[in-house]
Amino acid sequence: MKSHPLLNKLMLLLLVLAITPSAFAQNKDLPNVVILATGGTIAGSADSGTQAGYTSGQVGIETMIAAVPGITDLANVTGEQVSNVGSQDMSVEIWLKLANRINELLATDDVDGIVITHGTDTQEETAFFLNLVVKSDKPVVTTGSMRPSTAVSAEGPLNLYNAVAIAANTKAKGHGVLVVMNDQIHSAHGVTKTNTTSVQTFMSPMHGLTGAVIYGRHEFYSKPHGIHGLDSEFSVHGVTSLPRVDIIYSGVDTPADLVDLSIKAGAKGIVIAGVGNGNMNAATLAACKKAAESGIVVVRSTRVPTGYVLRNAEVNDDENKTIASDELNAQKSRVLLMLALQKDRSLEDIQKLFYTY
Ligand code: ASP
């Protein structure tokens, strides 16, 4: 059946109205929050409520909002589907789309806060990336769940409720990107996933919790560490890709040729998830020194879950031309280095970034 051109135009207009901030007409006394859905277990489903296996990114944003009683009492909520992937498949392409959409939405007076639903596997990386490139001090909150939407005691709806409550609150302004899971509020800088299956997986081992939330009521304990948001020098406006940075995980007798293989494959930066205080075996350190002398930026981070990687402590960074990650884990070091390598910087400048972000 052929559709009438006028009908097509009307449909298009309705679609535009549905996804632009002007869709917030409902209650003028409530803040306006946009939920950007990217997928993950919060949108996952399984055949039974007790199945350990499930497929991420199955449920659309409208269904997710409908599953949260009382959410519309907190804010005028609208949803957009940015992607629908398990976060193991999160990509730079989706990051750029997400960041630019957030910046576009937050630049309007009609949007007061943003919630991003996301898989938990790489949530800390996305949160940290956005922390560095969102150009607004309005609340931006990521959330997800460990149990799929079909599970017995799925925690996604409460996490989403709590995330919207925080995104709707002006007190959350200026905190950078927050990760809200399991009644806790974490900063993007400090948070990391610590358990493969438990709902109590996110922790902030170096700085502790940013706050707590119980059925939407919340309290902030501290301001997040590190430069973020409006104070960040990084931008992805008009950016279509980021330089390749690889992580090499250290262990006993790790082959040093992994460094050369990475560089051959196009890496401009390498992060070593080192043992202890950012250590690696002598052959790998020699390969890293050679790489650094040829212009590849090498950051020493650690596979240890907490603690600093100290410059010129066990490893002489001056001599090896390496960067110490300070308190960023390997995955967040990689995010910072990808952004840092967008332009030419001296090693001193890059080291400073690791001290300040
Ligand atoms: N693999 C899932 C993901 O990150 C796990 C989760 O969301 O909990 O998308």
Side-chain angles (χ1 to χ4, degrees):
M1 192 181 80
K2 259 190 162 182
S3 60
H4 194 279
L6 205 65
L7 199 63
N8 283 345
K9 271 191 192 151
L10 193 66
M11 293 291 281
L12 190 68
L13 184 71
L14 284 176
L15 190 72
V16 170
L17 282 176
I19 60 168
T20 51
S22 60
F24 295 115
Q26 305 102 310
N27 185 341
K28 286 204 160 48
D29 297 330
L30 288 179
N32 298 327
V33 172
V34 180
I35 304 177
L36 299 176
T38 69
T41 298
I42 192 168
S45 68
D47 290 339
S48 89
T50 51
Q51 198 172 301
Y54 59 90
T55 316
S56 286
Q58 296 294 296
V59 179
I61 180 61
E62 298 307 336
T63 313
M64 276 164 59
I65 294 173
V68 188
I71 201 169
T72 48
D73 299 335
L74 298 170
N76 296 315
V77 173
T78 55
E80 292 180 24
Q81 197 78 46
V82 175
S83 63
N84 212 351
V85 296
S87 72
Q88 55 273 36
D89 286 318
M90 185 47 59
S91 62
V92 169
E93 192 185 335
I94 302 173
W95 273 358
L96 296 173
K97 190 173 157 192
L98 190 59
N100 286 316
R101 184 63 182 138
I102 293 170
N103 283 331
E104 189 177 44
L105 287 166
L106 291 183
T108 73
D109 290 339
D110 291 334
V111 179
D112 300 296
I114 301 277
V115 169
I116 299 133
T117 58
H118 196 291
T120 60
D121 290 354
T122 61
Q123 191 163 157
E124 67 193 83
E125 282 153 87
T126 298
F128 186 60
F129 170 74
L130 294 175
N131 202 41
L132 303 185
V133 300
V134 165
K135 300 287 166 210
S136 170
D137 69 351
K138 291 180 188 172
V140 177
V141 180
T142 73
T143 193
S145 75
M146 292 299 285
R147 295 180 182 143
S149 64
T150 45
V152 173
S153 296
E155 87 281 28
L158 183 55
N159 285 344
L160 187 54
Y161 183 87
N162 284 336
V164 168
I166 293 164
N169 190 338
T170 47
K171 274 200 218 146
K173 271 185 159 188
H175 279 270
V177 175
L178 297 167
V179 174
V180 171
M181 292 277 296
N182 203 30
D183 296 353
Q184 298 181 332
I185 310 172
H186 300 264
S187 76
H189 175 96
V191 72
T192 191
K193 184 173 180 177
T194 65
N195 189 291
T196 51
T197 55
S198 167
V199 293
Q200 182 46 48
T201 185
F202 283 99
M203 294 196 190
S204 295
M206 296 291 280
H207 293 275
L209 285 180
T210 300
V213 52
I214 296 150
Y215 296 110
R217 289 174 60 186
H218 55 280
E219 196 181 328
F220 288 101
Y221 304 151
S222 59
K223 280 267 180 192
H225 186 84
I227 298 175
H228 55 79
L230 291 171
D231 295 328
S232 165
E233 65 205 85
F234 300 109
S235 162
V236 288
H237 183 72
V239 169
T240 52
S241 65
L242 292 175
R244 174 169 166 166
V245 174
D246 290 351
I247 298 176
I248 297 176
Y249 200 93
S250 275
V252 169
D253 229 359
T254 293
D257 59 5
L258 290 176
V259 174
D260 305 320
L261 290 171
S262 250
I263 297 166
K264 260 194 211 125
K268 302 286 176 263
I270 290 173
V271 174
I272 303 291
V275 292
N277 190 351
N279 288 315
M280 61 203 90
N281 59 34
T284 305
L285 188 58
C288 284
K289 184 176 185 209
K290 201 172 130 219
E293 277 162 354
S294 76
I296 303 295
V297 180
V298 180
V299 173
R300 293 187 306 108
S301 182
T302 177
R303 65 180 202 179
V304 179
T306 71
Y308 295 93
V309 169
L310 298 171
R311 187 171 178 86
N312 292 333
E314 277 190 75
V315 174
N316 187 330
D317 291 294
D318 291 344
E319 201 177 290
N320 290 293
K321 299 197 173 357
T322 45
I323 307 289
S325 72
D326 197 52
E327 57 177 62
L328 290 184
N329 64 21
Q331 53 274 31
K332 286 190 201 165
S333 295
R334 176 171 176 257
V335 173
L336 181 55
L337 191 53
M338 284 162 102
L339 289 169
L341 292 177
Q342 282 177 295
K343 67 173 204 188
D344 268 350
R345 296 173 197 267
S346 68
L347 291 179
E348 290 70 31
D349 283 350
I350 297 175
Q351 181 63 72
K352 259 188 224 145
L353 297 177
F354 277 83
Y355 288 144
T356 47
Y357 284 87

